[in-house]
Amino acid sequence: MNEVETYIQQFPDNVQEILQKIRKLINDNAPDADELFAYGMPAYKLNKKPLVYFAAFKNHIGFYATPSGHSEFQDELSKYKQGKGSVQFPLDKSIPYKLIERIVKFRVTENYEKSIKTTTKK
């Protein structure tokens, strides 16, 4: 069992189910991303650059898609509590999986574009 699986298993079943859905969603939409454990939470990197992170808390799921992932979807995320580069999805409301999926896809595209720019500059 890896660190991400161990992390997920420490939560109640209902929260584990949410975390597993988010994990699968990320893995399905960013199959080339590396899954690791950073800052005490599941983390994903693509082309050696951060992609997204997520974590469970007592009353919410924290989702971290760097500032660009949040600014791109600021209208849709505006109904949730936010910080710089983070959003909180309350556990007592339905988790917006489709929105998370769109954010992940955006970050994958953005990450690849940054990677191409870096490669062409060399």
Side-chain angles (χ1 to χ4, degrees):
M1 186 176 328
N2 70 26
E3 282 181 291
V4 173
E5 291 163 344
T6 301
Y7 173 83
I8 290 172
Q9 284 195 339
Q10 72 180 321
F11 295 98
D13 289 347
N14 64 319
V15 176
Q16 284 186 43
E17 186 178 326
I18 293 167
L19 296 174
Q20 289 290 11
K21 283 183 183 178
I22 293 171
R23 181 183 187 206
K24 182 175 179 353
L25 190 151
I26 294 166
N27 286 321
D28 287 352
N29 288 283
D32 296 330
D34 295 318
E35 181 181 72
L36 50 129
F37 200 74
Y39 306 107
M41 68 183 99
Y44 297 83
K45 283 190 170 185
L46 186 61
N47 301 321
K48 300 180 184 172
K49 298 189 183 319
L51 188 66
V52 295
Y53 304 78
F54 65 90
F57 297 91
K58 183 179 179 185
N59 297 312
H60 70 275
I61 299 295
F63 187 72
Y64 310 84
T66 74
S68 65
H70 295 278
S71 58
E72 181 70 19
F73 295 90
Q74 69 184 46
D75 290 345
E76 291 163 276
L77 294 171
S78 65
K79 61 183 168 184
Y80 302 101
K81 185 174 181 182
Q82 297 182 62
K84 184 179 178 185
S86 69
V87 63
Q88 295 179 9
F89 300 122
L91 290 172
D92 63 352
K93 302 229 178 349
S94 61
I95 303 297
Y97 296 110
K98 291 288 185 197
L99 176 57
I100 294 171
E101 181 177 28
R102 289 177 44 231
I103 293 170
V104 170
K105 287 178 178 180
F106 169 79
R107 289 289 298 127
V108 167
T109 300
E110 183 179 55
N111 196 299
Y112 276 128
E113 287 172 357
K114 284 181 183 177
S115 174
I116 290 169
K117 286 179 186 174
T118 304
T119 306
T120 56
K121 284 183 181 177
K122 291 181 180 176

